[in-house]
Amino acid sequence: MDILYKVSLALYGGKNVEVGTTQTVNLSWSIKVNGSDVNPGSQTISNGTTTETLGTTVRNKTYTGVKTNTTYTLTVDGVTATANVKFYYPAYFGVVS
């Protein structure tokens, strides 16, 4: 008989930023099975362009030089989580001199 485990995966580090800026994105995550921290069998992270296989004890990743909207996808033992960096044009209200 197979035993089912509840895997929870949380990816942190998404943000909204101003167009024309260059960002450093610091992602971090936790992996829990039945409420306890665990090391997975495998994990990968993708920025939409490249996918990287990470060591099973890694819990953070930094991307530098980010200038466009980017979705980061973390896959851990078949479970996925995403974080987004969205670039917006600034909004100004009132008189501009």
Side-chain angles (χ1 to χ4, degrees):
M1 174 177 8
D2 291 334
I3 298 173
L4 298 177
Y5 294 97
K6 181 180 178 187
V7 176
S8 64
L9 180 62
L11 178 62
Y12 308 98
K15 57 186 174 178
N16 297 324
V17 294
E18 188 174 315
V19 168
T21 62
T22 300
Q23 299 294 312
T24 296
V25 178
N26 296 303
L27 302 173
S28 63
W29 56 93
S30 61
I31 304 165
K32 296 184 183 285
V33 173
N34 293 336
S36 298
D37 290 327
V38 297
N39 288 332
S42 66
Q43 60 180 354
T44 61
I45 194 161
S46 171
N47 64 359
T49 305
T50 59
T51 300
E52 180 180 351
T53 300
L54 303 171
T56 59
T57 60
V58 174
R59 295 295 181 271
N60 56 60
K61 174 73 176 166
T62 300
Y63 290 92
T64 59
V66 179
K67 297 180 181 181
T68 60
N69 291 343
T70 306
T71 298
Y72 299 92
T73 304
L74 175 68
T75 303
V76 176
D77 292 339
V79 178
T80 62
T82 60
N84 295 297
V85 174
K86 299 270 187 188
F87 286 80
Y88 291 96
Y89 287 99
Y92 298 99
F93 298 94
V95 178
V96 177
S97 54

